């Protein structure tokens, strides 16, 4: 990804297309997201992550938290269409969530969320 | 060695300690911090065992290591099920030591608690993915359940086809809204309770006997 000179007053936002994420292994996705978030960026994923990928993201996040530095992430996505039970339900249940917003916990705060709207407050680093 | 491998090695050592001898179905109590997991674990343990499982607190991440209570036999209406109940640390995406300072802990203790809490979150996720046979998913009815962590844990529960009972806790509080929880987890059985006051607890035991009793 090309380096971007950022204004210290601004908050950079990476909007990552589903095509870009499609061919990546789970750990590559996790590293891509966390590298950006640790730099103070907000990451918006077009197609979100699967539950297993989200759990890996949280595990790695936990390993990187330090009292005077990184304090973790905020993550929000629209509620998934609820899966029915049975084989089809399990398949649907494993689908990645919809558009997902991830940011540094000390910079992003969810103000409002419902089935089709997420309102977030982003503060400068 | 990658970071995920290092985490897994560390966790597997802890798992061996917690789950060293397996006989009964292991039911994990899951949910976000401060949902009332330990309060419920203690109520189950007192009602069907001999003593409490862990310390209850308003401070988040009071439970930072899983505690297991073995051979809890729950009986209802002629049915009985013997389980091992595992109270787990609350799963979160952030841990800020300053939050513990705000609750009155001194800074060194707050930093240590934060470090233990991050480890506890990682362990809780691993147990859910690899070692548990069923889940009591506890949520605070006064809080919005539509959180990414709840969706993630629910997704893992579905992937593993684990039996689950959703517990809409704290219904004794004025602003409780358990219908939001029932809506979000509508493919699972949800029981409204107050773990603290004991409201509707018999209904929960009946559901546990049905869901986990085979």
């Amino acid at each position: 990804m090309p380096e971007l000179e950022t204004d210290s007053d601004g908050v950079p936002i990476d909007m990552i297309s589903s095509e870009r994420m499609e061919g990546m292994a789970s750990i590559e996705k996790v590293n891509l997201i966390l590298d950006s978030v640790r730099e103070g960026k907000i990451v918006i994923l077009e197609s979100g992550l699967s539950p297993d990928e989200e759990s890996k993201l949280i595990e790695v996040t936990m390993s990187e938290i330090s009292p005077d530095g990184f304090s973790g992430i905020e993550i929000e996505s629209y509620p998934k269409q609820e899966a029915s039970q049975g084989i089809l339900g399990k398949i649907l249940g494993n689908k990645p969530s919809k558009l997902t917003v991830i940011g540094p916990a000390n910079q992003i705060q969810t103000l409002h969320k419902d089935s089709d709207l997420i309102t977030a407050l982003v503060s400068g680093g | 060695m990658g970071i995920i491998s290092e985490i897994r090695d560390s966790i597997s050592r802890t798992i061996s300690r917690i789950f060293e001898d397996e006989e009964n179905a292991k039911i994990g109590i899951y949910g976000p911090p401060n949902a009332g997991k330990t309060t419920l674990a203690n109520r189950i343990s007192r009602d069907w065992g001999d003593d409490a499982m862990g310390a209850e607190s308003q401070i988040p991440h009071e439970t930072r290591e899983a505690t297991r209570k073995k051979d809890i036999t729950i009986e209802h209406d002629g049915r009985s099920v013997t389980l091992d109940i595992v109270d787990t640390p609350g799963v979160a995406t952030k841990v800020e030591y300053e939050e513990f300072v705000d609750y009155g802990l001194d800074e060194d203790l707050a930093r240590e608690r934060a470090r233990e809490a991050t480890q506890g979150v990682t362990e809780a996720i691993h147990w859910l993915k690899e070692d548990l046979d069923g889940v009591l998913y506890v949520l605070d009815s006064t809080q919005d359940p539509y959180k990414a962590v709840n969706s993630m844990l629910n997704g893992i529960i579905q992937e593993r086809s684990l039996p689950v009972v959703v517990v809409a806790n704290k219904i004794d509080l004025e602003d409780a809204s358990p219908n939001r929880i029932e809506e979000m987890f509508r493919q699972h059985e949800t029981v409204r309770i107050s773990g603290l006051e004991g409201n509707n607890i018999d209904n929960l035991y009946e559901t546990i006997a049905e869901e986990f009793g085979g």
Side-chain angles (χ1 to χ4, degrees):
Chain A
M1 196 179 296
E3 285 300 314
L4 181 70
E5 287 295 323
T6 56
D7 186 318
S8 59
D9 292 333
V11 178
I13 299 173
D14 282 349
M15 289 181 274
I16 305 178
S17 70
S18 50
E19 285 79 8
R20 187 183 176 93
M21 300 288 270
E22 225 169 51
M24 298 173 84
S26 296
I27 193 64
E28 288 179 297
K29 294 180 188 177
V30 167
N31 289 337
L32 173 69
I33 293 164
L34 274 184
D35 286 350
S36 294
V37 170
R38 293 197 63 168
E39 289 171 17
K41 294 179 182 174
I42 308 299
V43 177
I44 300 175
L45 304 177
E46 185 185 19
S47 60
L49 298 170
S50 70
D52 188 58
E53 289 167 342
E54 279 188 14
S55 71
K56 286 188 173 76
L57 176 65
I58 295 173
E59 288 175 62
V60 178
T61 296
M62 288 297 127
S63 73
E64 296 195 358
I65 287 176
S66 65
D68 296 311
F70 184 55
S71 63
I73 60 173
E74 287 287 357
I75 175 168
E76 285 295 353
S77 56
Y78 300 121
K80 249 184 325 185
Q81 193 68 38
E82 277 301 336
S84 58
Q85 286 183 318
I87 299 293
L88 182 62
K90 282 171 199 163
I91 293 165
L92 292 172
N94 298 342
K95 278 179 69 176
S97 52
K98 296 178 185 173
L99 187 142
T100 299
V101 184
I102 305 158
N106 61 350
Q107 275 177 257
I108 187 167
Q109 182 190 348
T110 306
L111 299 178
H112 173 81
K113 184 184 170 200
D114 60 28
S115 59
D116 53 13
L117 174 71
I118 297 171
T119 306
L121 175 68
V122 180
S123 57
Chain B
M1 184 183 288
I3 192 155
I4 291 283
S5 303
E6 286 176 23
I7 292 168
R8 288 205 173 123
D9 282 354
S10 163
I11 297 301
S12 63
R13 288 193 291 274
T14 312
I15 285 171
S16 310
R17 173 175 57 79
I18 297 283
F19 301 123
E20 51 193 3
D21 52 343
E22 298 183 8
E23 286 172 15
N24 305 318
K26 299 180 295 294
I27 305 302
I29 302 181
Y30 273 78
N34 275 8
K37 297 180 294 299
T38 301
T39 301
L40 176 61
N42 285 342
R43 180 166 286 278
I44 294 172
S45 188
R46 286 193 189 104
D47 284 351
W48 302 100
D50 47 10
D51 56 7
M53 287 182 70
E56 299 164 25
S57 168
Q58 294 299 308
I59 306 175
H61 300 288
E62 180 66 32
T63 304
R64 299 181 297 287
E65 286 189 340
T67 51
R68 182 184 186 182
K69 189 79 174 177
K70 298 185 70 176
D71 298 325
I72 300 281
T73 299
I74 295 174
E75 297 173 359
H76 193 278
D77 215 14
R79 305 182 69 150
S80 78
V81 57
T82 301
L83 308 167
D84 293 351
I85 301 288
V86 184
D87 184 22
T88 67
V91 176
T93 61
K94 62 179 178 181
V95 178
E96 293 165 317
Y97 87 91
E98 294 91 340
E99 189 180 3
F100 304 129
V101 174
D102 291 342
Y103 276 96
L105 270 64
D106 74 45
E107 192 163 316
D108 286 345
L109 206 56
R111 285 168 181 267
E112 179 62 13
R113 178 179 282 247
R115 191 191 62 74
E116 291 170 355
T118 59
Q119 173 105 2
V121 170
T122 309
E123 289 173 355
I125 291 172
H126 266 264
W127 291 319
L128 182 63
K129 288 163 99 171
E130 293 173 18
D131 287 280
L132 292 168
D133 303 307
V135 174
L136 280 173
Y137 200 84
V138 182
L139 290 149
D140 180 343
S141 296
T142 69
Q143 302 294 314
D144 177 8
Y146 288 100
K147 297 289 182 190
V149 165
N150 291 332
S151 298
M152 180 270 289
L153 292 173
N154 190 29
I156 293 171
I157 288 166
Q158 282 186 249
E159 273 178 5
R160 288 201 59 209
S161 300
L162 291 173
V164 58
V165 174
V166 178
V167 180
N169 194 23
K170 306 192 185 184
I171 59 164
D172 55 307
L173 299 181
E174 199 174 322
D175 51 349
S177 184
N179 53 316
R180 291 181 301 188
I181 296 170
E182 288 163 348
E183 176 67 20
M184 178 171 176
F185 292 91
R186 60 178 179 265
Q187 77 277 37
H188 301 303
E189 185 79 27
T190 297
V191 184
R192 303 177 174 201
I193 70 156
S194 166
L196 189 65
E197 302 294 335
N199 303 357
N200 210 24
I201 202 77
D202 283 345
N203 191 11
L204 176 63
Y205 293 143
E206 180 183 1
T207 308
I208 288 173
E210 285 170 1
E211 288 291 321
F212 303 133

